């Protein structure tokens, strides 16, 4: 029997592949877990306050313990995965097959029958654990493409639960999806949920086209609501943190370190081939070649946090970026210690990231495909004086609502070069007007609003 609860609202069980925790070794040698402050924790925190929410996920270790932990108000239920399952489920099917297939930017998806087997087994392990720990009548909120089979597996085990699923990345059209032999099972897995949420209307439509073309129907007699819930950031929190004296001082120190250039372009990404990093650095190279900007008083700062380094395509991307940076810096010296491109290939502390957002003049987001892109929103949240220009890819979900950015087609290098050039000559009142509008949008549509919208719809589904 599942444990029962006595609260007015349903208890919430969040399920994500990675748990939002990090381990530190304390002075006495003991392993202590703390909450890592990601977007989802910030989003769901207020909604969870006082309800004693549970979070089910993998802690990132091989053969980890399944012992539950109480961490800062969350009940953490770790799912243990073997090295073989991690390889097949996480590195293999999730990041070698699904990620390139769903983003569809020209990097071939790789297919392997054992990877699919691992994906199934890992999804079963998550569903099994959720079924075991969820109180009677709870709301379960499953996150992202690593866990697309969980909704149906869970409904079979626990029909009393109300199940939500949110997909953080794009959903492909049937033509692209056709490459995946297991697509019907994936669609059936998702249709086990009461609510399937996507970033954009375009993803909702792609999902419907897929179920129609495959003739996949909702199993049993439950209803499935498929809708767009564009995710966002903790705008007030980011904005406030960026205004801290320490961050502002660090931002001006950074500009000094770069030789007080008149213009600073900035890119901030996980090192992922979907983010269009080579394309944007090459566009900057062309801007320098055209003479519209000079490396002496213009710098491109690119922060790239290493990601999925065990996956082959990520190693190739990293080598490609190194090559571009070396070439551009050799061709365009700045007369100072830095090159034309300052490349920070590291996982930066939060405050340092905020200082970069404050120090930049132009934020450049050129994703080839991106569910949303939170970096664009974080930059805007940091510009409390309405300064700064955002160059934004039309292929990022964020472009749907951030129309005051300079929007570019990331596949057209000339367009990126032109946008970089335009950003340098925008009239100050135009810059301020655009940024004020962007800030208004991101302030209104913050992540708390996203969480409230989807959780309210789950409550309604539960009541019906
Ligand atoms: C997926 C979807 C969707 C990056 N480098 C560092 C660092 N970051 C932080 C950023 C931002 C987050 O990581 C990245 O979020 P994005 O949205 O840009 O991209 P994905 O990681 O690909 O996320 C995406 C998102 O899910 C949410 O639904 O928007 O489309 O692909 O918050 O600030 N943070 C720190 N150091 C770094 O070096 N501290």
């Amino acid at each position: 029997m599942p444990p029962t609860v006595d609260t007015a609202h349903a208890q919430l069980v969040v399920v994500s592949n990675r748990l939002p925790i990090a381990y530190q070794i304390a002075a006495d040698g003991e392993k202590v877990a703390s909450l890592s402050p990601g977007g989802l924790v910030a989003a769901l925190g207020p909604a969870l306050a006082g309800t004693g929410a549970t979070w089910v996920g993998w802690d990132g270790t091989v053969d980890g313990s399944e012992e539950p932990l109480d961490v800062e108000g969350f009940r953490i239920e770790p799912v243990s995965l073997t090295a073989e399952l991690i390889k097949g489920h996480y590195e293999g099917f999730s990041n070698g097959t699904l990620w390139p297939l769903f983003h569809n930017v020209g990097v071939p998806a790789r297919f392997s029958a054992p990877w699919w087997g691992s994906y199934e087994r890992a999804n079963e392990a998550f569903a099994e654990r959720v079924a075991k720990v969820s109180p009677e009548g709870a709301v379960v909120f499953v996150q992202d493409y690593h866990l697309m089979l969980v909704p149906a597996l869970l409904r079979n085990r626990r029909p009393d639960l109300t199940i939500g699923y949110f997909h953080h990345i794009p959903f492909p059209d049937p033509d692209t999806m056709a490459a995946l032999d297991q697509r019907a099972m994936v669609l059936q897995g998702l249709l086990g949920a009461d609510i399937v949420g996507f970033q954009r209307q375009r993803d909702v439509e792609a999902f419907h086209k897929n179920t129609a073309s495959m003739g996949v129907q909702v199993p049993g007699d439950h209803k499935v609501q498929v809708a767009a819930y564009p995710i966002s950031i903790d705008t007030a929190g980011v904005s406030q943190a960026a205004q801290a004296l320490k961050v502002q001082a660090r931002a001006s120190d950074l500009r000094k370190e770069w030789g007080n250039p008149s213009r600073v372009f900035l890119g901030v990404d996980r090192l992922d081939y979907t983010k269009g990093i080579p394309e944007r650095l090459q566009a900057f190279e062309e801007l320098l070649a055209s003479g519209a900007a000079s490396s002496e008083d213009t710098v491109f700062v690119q922060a790239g946090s290493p990601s999925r380094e065990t996956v082959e395509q990520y190693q190739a991307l990293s080598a490609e970026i190194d090559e571009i940076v070396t070439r551009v810096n050799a061709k365009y010296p700045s007369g100072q210690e830095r090159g034309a491109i300052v490349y920070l290939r590291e996982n930066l502390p939060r405050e340092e990231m905020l200082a970069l957002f404050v120090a930049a003049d132009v934020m450049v987001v050129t994703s080839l495909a991106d569910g949303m892109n939170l970096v664009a929103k974080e930059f805007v949240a940091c510009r409390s004086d309405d300064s700064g220009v955002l160059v934004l890819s039309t292929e990022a979900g964020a472009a749907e609502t951030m129309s005051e950015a300079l929007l570019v087609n990331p596949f057209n290098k000339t367009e990126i070069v032109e946008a970089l050039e335009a950003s340098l000559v925008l009239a100050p009142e135009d810059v301020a007007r655009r940024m004020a509008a962007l800030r208004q949008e991101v302030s209104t549509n913050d992540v708390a609003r996203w969480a409230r919208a989807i959780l309210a719809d789950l409550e309604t589904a539960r009541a019906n």
Side-chain angles (χ1 to χ4, degrees):
M1 273 296 285
T4 50
V5 276
D6 181 28
T7 52
H9 295 284
Q11 282 230 326
L12 186 61
V13 179
V14 184
V15 194
S16 60
N17 181 55
R18 275 302 297 271
L19 283 166
I21 60 166
Y23 293 114
Q24 277 96 32
I25 306 296
D28 59 3
E30 209 187 315
K31 210 161 112 177
V32 189
S34 63
L35 220 49
S36 24
L40 265 191
V41 173
L44 299 170
L48 302 181
T51 65
T54 300
W55 203 306
V56 178
W58 170 51
D59 69 2
T61 66
V62 178
D63 291 326
S65 157
E66 295 221 317
E67 215 34 57
L69 307 161
D70 284 310
V71 184
E72 297 166 49
F74 286 96
R75 172 92 171 160
I76 302 283
E77 296 278 354
V79 176
S80 177
L81 299 176
T82 62
E84 194 207 342
L85 261 196
I86 295 164
K87 234 178 153 17
H89 167 252
Y90 180 68
E91 293 167 20
F93 198 74
S94 295
N95 290 330
T97 308
L98 293 173
W99 181 271
L101 186 73
F102 281 29
H103 284 88
N104 197 20
V105 297
V107 171
R110 297 195 301 160
F111 299 92
S112 139
W115 284 357
W116 167 254
S118 300
Y119 187 78
E120 277 187 306
R121 276 187 289 139
N123 273 255
E124 267 159 25
F126 277 83
E128 196 59 49
R129 186 58 170 276
V130 178
K132 203 161 130 201
V133 303
S134 297
E136 175 79 31
V139 168
V140 178
F141 189 18
V142 182
Q143 306 298 318
D144 225 359
Y145 65 102
H146 318 86
L147 302 175
M148 290 189 287
L149 307 181
V150 167
L153 292 169
L154 193 55
R155 179 170 298 276
N156 282 338
R157 289 167 169 81
R158 290 287 306 274
D160 61 296
L161 300 174
T162 303
I163 305 168
Y165 170 88
F166 186 73
H167 193 78
H168 291 253
I169 67 173
F171 203 85
D173 278 329
D175 284 355
T176 304
M177 198 67 165
L180 189 69
D181 288 345
Q182 299 86 3
R183 60 195 181 282
M185 284 179 270
V186 166
L187 297 170
Q188 266 151 4
L190 292 173
L191 288 174
D194 297 276
I195 293 185
V196 180
F198 291 101
Q199 302 275 28
R200 293 170 286 193
Q201 198 51 39
R202 168 194 324 184
D203 304 308
V204 170
E205 280 152 25
F207 179 76
H208 286 311
K209 279 191 219 153
N210 273 284
T211 51
S213 78
M214 293 297 292
V216 174
Q217 283 173 2
V218 177
D221 58 0
H222 79 283
K223 286 204 182 65
V224 185
Q225 182 185 331
V226 183
Y229 301 87
I231 202 167
S232 189
I233 58 164
D234 173 15
T235 311
V238 171
S239 175
Q240 209 178 2
Q243 285 174 61
L245 286 180
K246 204 173 149 200
V247 171
Q248 297 283 328
R250 178 66 186 145
S252 49
D253 284 352
L254 281 168
R255 284 191 81 112
K256 268 186 224 133
E257 270 178 34
W258 301 325
N260 282 321
S262 60
R263 291 308 160 105
V264 176
F265 288 107
L266 175 67
V268 172
D269 313 80
R270 274 190 310 100
L271 286 175
D272 195 292
Y273 51 77
T274 60
K275 304 290 181 183
I277 303 168
E279 289 78 358
R280 106 176 47 127
L281 296 178
Q282 283 159 357
F284 179 59
E285 183 179 17
E286 281 188 24
L287 183 76
L288 294 175
S290 75
S294 117
S295 53
E296 274 146 44
D297 66 354
T298 307
V299 62
F300 201 115
V301 178
Q302 176 64 54
S305 41
S307 178
R308 307 176 191 170
E309 290 175 282
T310 51
V311 182
E312 200 182 289
Q313 292 102 328
Y314 287 77
Q315 295 159 4
L317 172 78
S318 189
E320 186 185 358
I321 296 173
D322 287 349
E323 209 182 289
I324 296 173
V325 172
T326 307
R327 185 186 68 227
V328 173
N329 284 348
K331 212 152 70 175
Y332 299 101
S334 68
Q336 300 156 53
E337 271 177 37
R338 63 160 177 86
I341 301 175
V342 172
Y343 180 35
L344 309 168
R345 189 187 182 286
E346 60 196 300
N347 195 346
L348 297 167
R350 188 80 190 146
E351 282 194 347
E352 187 73 2
M353 288 241 330
L354 296 174
L356 289 176
F357 289 140
V358 173
D361 298 298
V362 183
M363 179 84 218
V364 191
V365 177
T366 52
S367 313
L368 305 173
D370 214 334
M372 180 54 62
N373 196 285
L374 299 180
V375 167
K377 299 193 175 190
E378 288 164 351
F379 172 69
V380 165
C382 289
R383 311 304 297 205
S384 45
D385 60 356
D386 289 342
S387 67
V389 179
L390 174 65
V391 173
L392 178 61
S393 162
T394 52
E395 302 312 299
E400 286 213 339
T401 52
M402 301 181 85
S403 55
E404 298 295 332
L406 300 183
L407 295 175
V408 292
N409 169 359
F411 296 99
N412 183 338
K413 198 171 299 150
T414 311
E415 241 185 66
I416 306 178
V417 179
E418 284 169 2
L420 296 183
E421 196 174 341
S423 75
L424 298 175
V425 296
L426 269 190
E429 54 280 10
D430 200 8
V431 170
R433 181 188 56 77
R434 285 169 182 270
M435 186 51 76
L438 289 168
R439 282 175 56 75
Q440 176 67 42
E441 203 287 318
V442 177
S443 301
T444 310
N445 293 310
D446 67 356
V447 75
R449 191 169 173 144
W450 169 83
R452 276 198 306 273
I454 197 159
L455 294 176
D457 285 355
L458 280 164
E459 274 297 332
T460 308
R462 175 171 171 262
N464 290 332

